[in-house]
Amino acid sequence: MLDKIAQKLASSTAELIGIDIIITDEKGMIIGASDPSRRGTLHEPSLEVIRTGQNSIQQEQDVQHLQGVKSGVTLPIEFTGKRIGTIALAGVPSKVTPFGMLVKKHTELILSEKMFSEVFFLRSRAIQSLLEQIAAFDPEKDDETSLLATARGLGFELQIPRIAVTIELLDARAVTSQGLEIETVPYTQMDIMMAIRTIFNRPQDISTMMDSGRYEILRAAKALLNEKEVVQRTWKECEKLKKLMEGKGLHVVIGIGSLAQDISCLPASHRDGWKAVTIGKNIHYGPSIYSISDLMLEDLLTTASRDIAKRYRESILAPLKATSDSVELINTFRVWCEHRFSPSGAAKALSIHKNTLNYRINKIESMCNIDSQNFRELLSLYIAILINELSDRNTDQLSSR
């Protein structure tokens, strides 16, 4: 691991402090140097430092007989309890030794962070693979033994109640291991995962990045809780996560799937979580939290035959779609329905006067030939609007989650 960062570390540190630096491996061979021509040569003082683990000072008279060795100080690099190399700084020993101690600690810290990052990445890839296997698992055809064993190898038990929580970053450019930049603030995959695991931190919570800008948690639930109680508790945690992400300048859509009592129901919870994200994002817009249990009607509509849904939508919405203010009228009717047909509630949500709302509703009644006292007619128009919004906003995503 040291050889991967030695040259860059030696060059950048030497430039910063203005002192010649070399870094060797455990055999005393120079693998990084502020003077790159020294790479690949032996630094003899490092051999004793590696053997003893003690700092070594090289005075001018000590190095006259040594080829390519300058006066200065050589310090051991220690990592995971082993001496894996050295750092040597050239100059008057009394002056460069304090810098040497700082560079040593800095190098060891970088190595620790790099190892943590690599272990984090490898485990994340393994968990991602596990969730992909869960998503593709068919309880009627597939043997669950291998999947259960894979999960247990990672420390997870799948035969306990869980509920899927799905997260999609909005306005996210490519999220890579090098980072994501939103509002000029860089965040890496690790930053986002650490935020997620700050909230969903039970030992049995399974969380990972699924792909660019999309994350998922299989949240462990208590066996004695019913689905409504689990959703309520999960919702509160999602609110905390949303607030935490917004504090980092990140805006998210969060979906809550159905409760899975065991492994056979996990694929459905996974799909429901992503359906909640897609439906919520497409119909309600903007960053928020959506539970599939609140979107069952919309979910049902997405399963209808496309041809039938298209005919239904066009036959009912044709009069409204022919007007120049169709978008405004359609949105007004939907908001009015979703506010229990309350003129004051709908007008407030739309930021319009109640008289304006009444004018629009009357216009819709006249154009569509419906009676606002006839629930069946109102429901038919409302469903047509939902189908229109779902079909206009790429509902192919629903079948791909």
Side-chain angles (χ1 to χ4, degrees):
M1 186 182 296
L2 180 61
D3 61 333
K4 296 179 181 179
I5 64 170
Q7 182 55 48
K8 183 176 181 180
L9 183 63
S11 299
S12 59
T13 306
E15 183 178 350
L16 179 65
I17 64 177
I19 298 173
D20 284 341
I21 293 175
I22 63 166
I23 298 175
T24 77
D25 61 16
E26 73 281 4
K27 296 179 181 179
M29 299 301 294
I30 298 176
I31 55 176
S34 50
D35 176 3
S37 66
R38 299 185 67 187
R39 292 178 63 187
T41 62
L42 177 66
H43 184 252
E44 291 188 44
S46 292
L47 297 175
E48 183 67 12
V49 171
I50 293 169
R51 187 181 69 80
T52 64
Q54 300 297 314
N55 298 348
S56 173
I57 291 175
Q58 294 84 53
Q59 301 289 356
E60 187 68 37
Q61 62 271 21
D62 299 330
V63 300
Q64 291 178 356
H65 65 287
L66 298 176
Q67 185 175 359
V69 178
K70 300 178 181 180
S71 61
V73 63
T74 303
L75 307 94
I77 300 173
E78 298 170 314
F79 184 58
T80 64
K82 299 178 181 179
R83 291 187 285 276
I84 62 170
T86 67
I87 290 180
L89 285 76
V92 177
S94 60
K95 293 183 177 180
V96 299
T97 296
F99 289 103
M101 296 298 296
L102 288 174
V103 176
K104 167 185 163 68
K105 294 297 183 184
H106 178 61
T107 302
E108 291 170 348
L109 179 61
I110 289 176
L111 289 170
S112 296
E113 291 178 343
K114 186 173 179 60
M115 183 183 72
F116 176 80
S117 178
E118 290 183 359
V119 170
F120 179 92
F121 176 75
L122 290 173
R123 180 170 172 80
S124 294
R125 286 295 299 271
I127 295 175
Q128 179 184 351
S129 176
L130 173 64
L131 261 71
E132 289 171 349
Q133 292 177 59
I134 290 172
F137 178 69
D138 185 341
E140 296 183 0
K141 298 179 181 178
D142 300 332
D143 182 7
E144 65 185 36
T145 305
S146 175
L147 189 55
L148 288 171
T150 300
R152 286 171 184 150
L154 291 168
F156 301 120
E157 176 55 62
L158 297 184
Q159 295 287 38
I160 63 172
R162 295 180 181 278
I163 190 167
V165 177
T166 52
I167 303 165
E168 182 172 319
L169 296 177
L170 293 182
D171 302 323
R173 293 177 284 279
V175 183
T176 69
S177 57
Q178 283 70 49
L180 158 69
E181 188 169 304
I182 293 181
E183 298 181 2
T184 71
V185 181
Y187 289 98
T188 65
Q189 294 172 4
M190 189 183 297
D191 292 325
I192 296 171
M193 284 306 308
M194 291 300 288
I196 290 171
R197 290 173 181 170
T198 297
I199 306 300
F200 295 92
N201 55 15
R202 300 169 193 79
Q204 283 295 316
D205 287 347
I206 307 174
S207 56
T208 189
M209 186 187 82
M210 297 300 289
D211 55 42
S212 180
R214 297 171 62 241
Y215 298 78
E216 182 166 351
I217 305 109
L218 294 182
R219 178 196 184 275
K222 291 186 177 179
L224 298 180
L225 297 178
N226 60 41
E227 183 159 3
K228 183 177 180 181
E229 291 171 322
V230 173
V231 169
Q232 287 175 342
R233 296 186 181 196
T234 304
W235 191 288
K236 290 180 181 179
E237 292 171 352
C238 290
E239 288 179 329
K240 293 179 182 178
L241 176 61
K242 180 173 175 287
K243 184 177 181 180
L244 180 60
M245 299 289 267
E246 287 174 346
K248 297 177 179 293
L250 302 174
H251 302 287
V252 295
V253 179
I254 301 177
I256 301 174
S258 50
L259 179 63
Q261 291 293 347
D262 53 39
I263 188 174
S264 66
C265 301
L266 276 178
S269 184
H270 160 86
R271 290 191 295 271
D272 287 343
W274 287 112
K275 282 182 181 178
V277 165
T278 303
I279 293 172
K281 181 178 64 175
N282 290 346
I283 289 184
H284 298 284
Y285 321 110
S288 194
I289 304 166
Y290 305 98
S291 171
I292 194 65
S293 60
D294 297 329
L295 300 169
M296 296 303 289
L297 173 59
E298 291 87 345
D299 187 20
L300 176 64
L301 295 177
T302 64
T303 66
S305 160
R306 290 192 179 189
D307 290 339
I308 294 175
K310 183 179 179 181
R311 286 201 331 245
Y312 182 90
R313 175 190 65 189
E314 292 182 351
S315 65
I316 294 179
L317 290 184
L320 287 181
K321 289 232 173 181
T323 66
S324 59
D325 56 351
S326 61
V327 174
E328 183 178 77
L329 292 176
I330 288 172
N331 185 53
T332 297
F333 185 82
R334 181 170 69 82
V335 172
W336 178 60
C337 290
E338 292 172 358
H339 282 77
R340 302 180 182 180
F341 313 106
S342 165
S344 58
K348 183 178 180 180
L350 292 165
S351 300
I352 59 176
H353 194 276
K354 281 199 297 185
N355 290 343
T356 303
L357 177 77
N358 291 331
Y359 168 78
R360 292 180 186 176
I361 297 300
N362 290 334
K363 184 175 181 179
I364 292 168
E365 286 182 313
S366 175
M367 293 182 65
C368 297
N369 193 27
I370 62 172
D371 181 358
S372 61
Q373 302 302 310
N374 186 318
F375 177 75
R376 183 181 180 86
E377 292 179 355
L378 293 179
L379 179 61
S380 295
L381 180 54
Y382 180 74
I383 288 176
I385 289 172
L386 290 184
I387 292 174
N388 181 65
E389 301 219 6
L390 287 168
S391 61
D392 281 355
R393 294 181 173 85
N394 194 16
T395 51
D396 287 343
Q397 297 175 65
L398 293 172
S399 60
S400 66
R401 297 300 190 224

